Amino acid sequence: MRIRSLLAPAGLGAAALLAALATAPSAVGGASTILASGTSFSPANTSVGQGTSVTWSFQGTHTTTSDQGFWNSRSRSTGATYTKGMPSAGRFPYHCTIHAGMNGSIAVPLKSSGSAASGWTLRWSASAAPAGRAFDVQFRRQGTTSWQSFRTNTTAATGLFNPARTGTYQLRARTTNTAASPDKESGWSAVISRQIS
Ligand SMILES: [Cu+2]
């Protein structure tokens, strides 16, 4: 009611309001379309699920260039788009090579399924790594400070996390560009916490 009364003076009826809400990007899932315009990406930071894609649209001439060499649109101008699949977990910073300070990042979360009793099948990639990609997965038990390796440079997409010791564990994953020399790693995914009983 409050929203409606605020919008009413602008002439938005209930039907138009519902239509606007239905098409608004989800705040949780994040936008999968990013506008490159002026000297910024909008939204600059976004989160998308494993195996989804992100599309940039361009106003003026820009690039979307992964800081770790995961993608590079090269120069694109007004009206053009560039789409990149985001298959695996990590945080992927990128920039425009034309405008200094024009930066953004894509976060792709680690997934899990299972239970405290039977352990958690972690999924850090929608599919096994293609050539030139590998994954690192780390954990730490709550109350400890240092991360430990669960997988290093694996090309598998999933693994069962079921340590002998009970407790709450934090988990994170990243993607490595092994086609680069030397290797270049994405940032770490957002941390997830899972119980082991
Ligand atoms: Cu630019």
Side-chain angles (χ1 to χ4, degrees):
M1 288 308 104
R2 186 171 177 189
I3 289 172
R4 190 177 176 185
S5 64
L6 284 172
L7 291 174
L12 260 187
L17 175 57
L18 285 174
L21 288 172
T23 55
S26 157
V28 175
S32 56
T33 301
I34 297 169
L35 176 65
S37 179
T39 56
S40 59
F41 294 102
S42 181
N45 302 305
T46 193
S47 180
V48 301
Q50 291 174 24
T52 65
S53 62
V54 173
T55 298
W56 286 263
S57 64
F58 298 84
Q59 267 174 23
T61 301
H62 306 277
T63 77
T64 167
T65 304
S66 162
D67 292 8
Q68 287 87 29
F70 288 105
W71 70 86
N72 186 1
S73 70
R74 306 190 186 283
S75 291
R76 305 233 168 178
S77 297
T78 302
T81 61
Y82 177 79
T83 297
K84 173 70 179 70
M86 301 299 297
S88 55
R91 181 179 175 277
F92 299 88
Y94 64 91
H95 61 280
C96 171
T97 60
I98 297 166
H99 300 103
M102 184 170 171
N103 304 312
S105 75
I106 311 289
V108 182
L110 176 61
K111 294 165 64 173
S112 77
S113 61
S115 68
S118 60
W120 299 94
T121 297
L122 305 179
R123 175 172 286 280
W124 47 84
S125 180
S127 56
R133 299 289 183 268
F135 313 111
D136 297 326
V137 187
Q138 292 188 337
F139 68 96
R140 75 181 172 191
R141 194 165 177 277
Q142 195 168 58
T144 65
T145 51
S146 59
W147 290 96
Q148 297 178 262
S149 288
F150 176 60
R151 296 287 189 273
T152 301
N153 267 342
T154 183
T155 55
T158 67
L160 177 64
F161 182 74
N162 193 17
R165 199 171 171 199
T166 62
T168 301
Y169 287 84
Q170 295 185 314
L171 297 145
R172 65 182 186 179
R174 69 181 175 186
T175 301
T176 299
N177 178 2
T178 57
S181 183
D183 289 359
K184 291 184 177 175
E185 286 106 9
S186 76
W188 291 102
S189 68
V191 170
I192 62 172
S193 288
R194 292 294 179 270
Q195 286 287 136
I196 294 291
S197 64

